[in-house]
Structure formats: C-alpha cells, structure tokens
Amino acid sequence: MRQFRAPRWLPGGHLQTIWPALYGRRVQGPHPIYQRERWTTPDGDFIDVDFCFSRQRGAPWLVLFHGLEGSSRSHYAEAFADVAQALGWNYAVPHFRGCSGELNLAPRAYHSGDYEEIGWMLARLRERAGQPLHAVGVSLGGNALLRWSEEAGETAGATARAVAAVCSPIDLAAGGHAIGRGFNRQVYTRMFLRSMKPKALAKWAQHPGLFDRERLAAARDLYEFDNLFTAPLHGFRNTDDYWRRASAKPWLEHIRVPALVLNARNDPFVPAASLPGVHEVGRYVTLWQPPHGGHVGFPAGRFPPGHVRAMPASVVDWLRTR
C-alpha cells in the first residue's frame, strides 16, 4: 500500500474517488449484519454503535471512525468489516452524532477535532474489550482520532494498541480550500452540503435561534457552513480558528502510540503539498503516501467493478503487527 497504484482502467484522483464509492466491490461474501447499541452520552445525548462480534473468545477489536457524513454502511466501513470478519476480529463503528440515521438531541453535532468524543467512545469500547484496541479513522474521523492520540500522549497506549488515519485532511485549511474550488466545489461540496444543510436546519428546528437560519440555507461552500454552524456550535470563534485548532498535522510529533498516516498523493480533497514529511512527525508515526488512491478509493482488480479491499487489508495488516 505504501506504493499503491490503481489499475489502468481507472486513472486520476477523481475517478479513483468516485468509482470505488459507487461501484467498487466491498466484500468477498455477504454484506455485514450489524448489531446496534444506543449509548447515552455524558451530556444526555446519544450515539449509535454498530457491531460485528467474533465467535472467538478474546478476539482482537477493530474500531472504525467514519468520515464526514459517513456511517457503518459507507463503502470503506463495509470493506473494513469484511477484513475484520475474515480475521475473526470484533468490529465496531461508533457513529458521530446525527450520522446513524436519526438526528441527535443536543445543540451540538460533530467536527474534525472532536477528540474528547473520540476518547469517550474508545474508553467505553476498551472496557468492553478488556484489551487495547486497534483503531482506524477515515477522513474526518482519522483527523479526530489523531487529535485524540496527540492529546492523550503517554496514556494513549492503555486504550489503543495502534491507530491509523486514512485520507485524513490533517491540515484542515489546505483541505477546506481545496474542496471549495473548481470541480471539487461543483461535485464534492454540493454532495456534502446536500446532506449537511438539511441536518443543520433540522437542528435549528430543535433549537430555534441556534444560528442564522437564512444565511446557512444560502451557504455555498464548507467554509461558510463551518463559519455559521460547525465552529460556533463547538466552541470555535470562526472557521479559521476551527481549522487551525482542530488540525492534527502540527502535533504529530506528540503522538506516543504507533500511528499510521495514509494519504494518496492524488487525493482531490487533500493537496499533496500539505502532507507531512518525515521531519515533521515523531518516531511513533509511519507515513504512507502512495501516488494513487484518490480519496478513500484505492481501487484494485479488473474492470468491472473492481474492489476496495486492498486498502483495508493493508491497514489492518499494519495494525496487527504493532
């Protein structure tokens, strides 16, 4: 995976992002059947956690934190489930608030630097597992997982044996500006806002006056959305303050648990120039920056439809050797 190359029939970062999400084969057998639990959060809200349990006593645990507007049914989540089941591991996907199909109750939602929420989820799962966990975060979830690893410092190893961040915008300003321009703006920004705006407006109906409803309804990019919704609802002054304080990149040298940071260099959301070099990370961090893969795509196999198991298999193989 360090030198991953996509098949010739799927060239370029955009195709390597879009095709796997829509058409790539996720599993070798049947799609995962999840068991869902609802947990009450410390502030009286709720999150939903989907599980695939192993039949093997004492089996390792893999935890996946999904990306922006993702869920346990995202293509990468089902592919990781398939890999975990093949190994006989337990698998858990905690949903960020509002991402499990039902609007959460509190005024807040979720964000890229939500390390306190990550820490609470991991602590409950660690108690359940009775052993340190293997944790993966994809895109937004990966940045939040790295922020937790950075904040936890020397104590992280008691909860997680190793962590991995896949295609995460660890420089949120670079990623935010990239997704707001050109083709990205027309395709990906519109896709995200198509689900984020209705959720935010439903949140306003729950809590009238929470933000400027008319301005949010008119927002045309993620910068505006974060300025009106994400930043103020989660304790940040504005989008710039949120992107600066929530980014994992500046603090990678503080990580004290084995951590894999995987980014394709042709990811449309994450400019290659913004990726960290080996001189910017500590000794616990491993960087994989293959030339191909797109954003959480990493397609492999013959046309059609190809499959998306190569990346999850490689990431889990790295985690299990730590």
Side-chain angles (χ1 to χ4, degrees), residues 299-312:
R302 296 180 179 180
F303 176 84
H307 65 82
V308 296
R309 290 182 82 261
M311 178 272 289

Side-chain angles (χ1 to χ4, degrees), residues 42-272:
D43 61 349
D45 203 351
F46 71 87
I47 65 159
D48 290 324
V49 187
D50 284 353
F51 293 93
C52 289
F53 293 110
S54 172
R55 295 180 180 179
Q56 300 178 23
R57 189 174 183 178
W61 282 71
L62 177 66
V63 180
L64 181 127
F65 295 100
H66 61 77
L68 182 64
E69 295 300 277
S71 75
S72 63
R73 289 301 176 191
S74 296
H75 67 287
Y76 53 81
E78 292 199 335
F80 271 105
D82 196 50
V83 172
Q85 288 183 301
L87 291 172
W89 286 20
N90 296 293
Y91 181 63
V93 184
H95 290 85
F96 293 118
R97 301 191 195 200
C99 289
S100 61
E102 184 176 337
L103 191 67
N104 67 303
L105 304 175
R108 61 156 294 167
Y110 68 103
H111 63 88
S112 295
D114 216 352
Y115 63 84
E116 291 180 343
E117 189 94 304
I118 291 277
W120 175 74
M121 294 172 175
L122 286 174
R124 284 201 58 164
L125 288 165
R126 169 64 174 85
E127 183 178 8
R128 175 84 159 265
Q131 59 181 296
L133 310 161
H134 302 81
V136 179
V138 174
S139 196
L140 175 149
N143 185 85
L145 177 61
L146 291 176
R147 287 292 292 114
W148 169 79
S149 301
E150 294 159 353
E151 293 290 331
E154 299 287 351
T155 67
T159 300
R161 190 178 306 277
V163 301
V166 178
C167 296
S168 298
I170 57 178
D171 181 337
L172 288 168
H177 291 308
I179 203 172
R181 293 192 294 261
F183 181 87
N184 288 351
R185 182 187 181 99
Q186 297 303 315
V187 177
Y188 307 119
T189 294
R190 287 185 177 183
M191 176 191 70
F192 285 127
L193 291 181
R194 197 175 299 125
S195 64
M196 293 167 68
K197 278 188 179 183
K199 281 186 183 179
L201 295 174
K203 183 63 62 181
W204 190 94
Q206 274 184 329
H207 304 277
L210 191 61
F211 51 84
D212 189 322
R213 187 180 188 281
E214 287 69 30
R215 287 182 64 195
L216 186 135
R220 300 181 62 186
D221 58 31
L222 296 184
Y223 186 94
E224 292 180 59
F225 183 91
D226 284 345
N227 224 25
L228 294 163
F229 183 82
T230 312
L233 264 62
H234 300 101
F236 302 99
R237 291 193 306 274
N238 51 35
T239 297
D240 294 323
D241 182 49
Y242 162 44
W243 286 357
R244 179 181 61 81
R245 289 167 55 193
S247 293
K249 182 181 176 181
W251 314 106
L252 290 174
E253 63 181 349
H254 295 276
I255 290 177
R256 295 295 182 269
V257 63
L260 173 65
V261 181
L262 166 59
N263 293 93
R265 298 190 69 84
N266 68 347
D267 187 330
F269 301 0
V270 183

